[in-house]
Amino acid sequence: MNYSAAAPDVWDPSLADAPDCLLSTDQCVIRAQHYFVKGLIELPVIGSDEVFSWGVWVSLSRENFSRAADIWDTAGRESEKPYFGWLTTELPVYSPGTINLKTHVHTRPVGERPLIELEPTDHPLAVEQRAGITMDRVREIAEALLHGARGASG
């Protein structure tokens, strides 16, 4: 019931040893100029208590990234106001593409990934986040990812 991208689409493995770059399971920095956090876009599954989630990367400003890092292990961090960010994960089952969709990053309790809320547009991913998806759509997504949809990675 989930799919997760290992890194932002702009990450290149050749950056791994650069002193001004970092890629962890939760945060990414590129050339000390571009900052990213990993979070979840959650799609409610209609007619059930289940949620399908996309593990995605969102770019943040330097200030918001620093703030998020400062309170990363702080109890009560979920009271933080949402941060603006740009989606930096291409989800292969959507057209048009998902790169640079506007988001709000909602900090959740320590140990939980942030919730990524898409700007309420008519993009199919934003519509699915608001309206939910059917179990048939979950199967369709799984099948597309299993059979190597463009850009799919786990």
Side-chain angles (χ1 to χ4, degrees):
M1 291 295 285
N2 65 64
Y3 165 88
S4 187
D9 275 25
V10 294
W11 177 259
D12 185 292
S14 68
L15 300 171
D17 294 326
D20 57 354
C21 296
L22 161 82
L23 177 62
S24 73
T25 56
D26 299 305
Q27 300 173 335
C28 179
V29 177
I30 297 177
R31 301 284 180 221
Q33 295 177 23
H34 305 283
Y35 304 89
F36 309 88
V37 294
K38 191 169 189 177
L40 299 174
I41 296 174
E42 296 181 343
L43 310 178
V45 178
I46 298 167
S48 78
D49 293 332
E50 296 194 65
V51 172
F52 179 88
S53 62
W54 292 105
V56 298
W57 292 86
V58 174
S59 66
L60 296 179
S61 68
R62 178 192 304 257
E63 296 75 24
N64 285 342
F65 181 85
S66 292
R67 175 69 182 158
D70 287 347
I71 63 168
W72 200 259
D73 295 316
T74 303
R77 70 182 192 168
E78 62 273 17
S79 63
E80 188 77 357
K81 68 178 178 74
Y83 306 122
F84 175 80
W86 298 97
L87 187 60
T88 56
T89 301
E90 186 66 63
L91 299 175
V93 298
Y94 293 98
S95 181
T98 56
I99 294 289
N100 289 330
L101 291 177
K102 292 179 181 180
T103 70
H104 285 93
V105 179
H106 296 268
T107 305
R108 295 202 274 198
V110 174
E112 292 184 38
R113 288 203 188 280
L115 175 67
I116 309 301
E117 175 191 13
L118 294 166
E119 181 180 59
T121 65
D122 62 355
H123 188 281
L125 178 58
V127 170
E128 287 183 348
Q129 187 177 42
R130 288 191 313 272
I133 59 175
T134 63
M135 195 52 85
D136 284 344
R137 175 67 172 143
V138 171
R139 285 189 279 278
E140 179 183 304
I141 291 169
E143 177 122 344
L145 296 173
L146 182 67
H147 295 297
R150 180 184 62 80
S153 63

